[in-house]
């Protein structure tokens, strides 16, 4: 890429610069989250699948996300789930702690809501953002 600098109303170049432009695509996400919900007045269930997109095993996974509304988790299956305000952490259990490359693990939960029932939009597994 070349940039030329001219003074006002002068046809003569007063400076120039050359640079290589390199566009680096973002690294692929280590994981993909499928978050499927069924809502009804005052309640919902969610089924969550974590897919490992990396070439390495994910061990002892922990999924973090935040609810955009006032959802409260009342029980869960296939994960140990803790909620603090809108922040939620779901951790693997002994029998589903590993996710092989290209593999997945699923868990679910049930909850309540009063004012808003929108689904989360950002997720991370073991601190890495997921798509």
């Amino acid at each position: 890429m070349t940039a030329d600098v001219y003074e006002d109303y002068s046809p003569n170049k007063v400076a120039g610069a050359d640079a290589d432009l390199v566009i680096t695509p973002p690294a692929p996400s280590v994981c993909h989250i499928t978050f499927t919900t069924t809502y009804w007045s005052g309640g919902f269930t969610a089924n969550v699948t974590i897919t490992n997109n990396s070439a390495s095993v994910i061990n002892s996974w922990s999924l973090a996300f935040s609810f955009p509304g006032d959802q409260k988790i009342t029980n869960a299956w296939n994960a140990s789930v803790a909620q603090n305000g809108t922040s939620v952490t779901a951790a693997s259990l002994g029998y589903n702690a590993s996710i092989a490359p290209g593999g997945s693990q699923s868990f679910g939960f049930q909850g309540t809501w009063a004012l808003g029932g929108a689904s989360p939009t950002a997720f991370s597994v073991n601190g890495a953002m997921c798509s």
Side-chain angles (χ1 to χ4, degrees), residues 6-109:
Y6 297 87
E7 288 186 41
D8 286 340
Y9 306 107
S10 172
N12 299 323
K13 181 170 70 169
V14 295
D18 291 317
D20 291 330
L21 177 63
V22 178
I23 299 174
T24 305
S29 178
V30 171
C31 48
H32 177 75
I33 304 301
T34 304
F35 191 91
T36 306
T37 56
T38 302
Y39 280 95
W40 61 89
S41 181
F44 71 101
T45 59
N47 290 301
V48 183
T49 300
I50 304 167
T51 301
N52 182 355
N53 292 339
S54 76
S56 302
V57 174
I58 297 174
N59 288 308
S60 299
W61 55 265
S62 178
L63 174 71
F65 63 90
S66 292
F67 284 122
D70 64 341
Q71 297 96 323
K72 303 283 185 270
I73 295 174
T74 56
N75 62 39
W77 52 93
N78 294 335
S80 173
V81 178
Q83 183 173 5
N84 184 5
T86 60
S87 298
V88 176
T89 302
S92 61
L93 302 174
Y95 62 86
N96 66 357
S98 293
I99 308 174
S104 63
Q105 292 288 356
S106 296
F107 70 95
F109 53 88

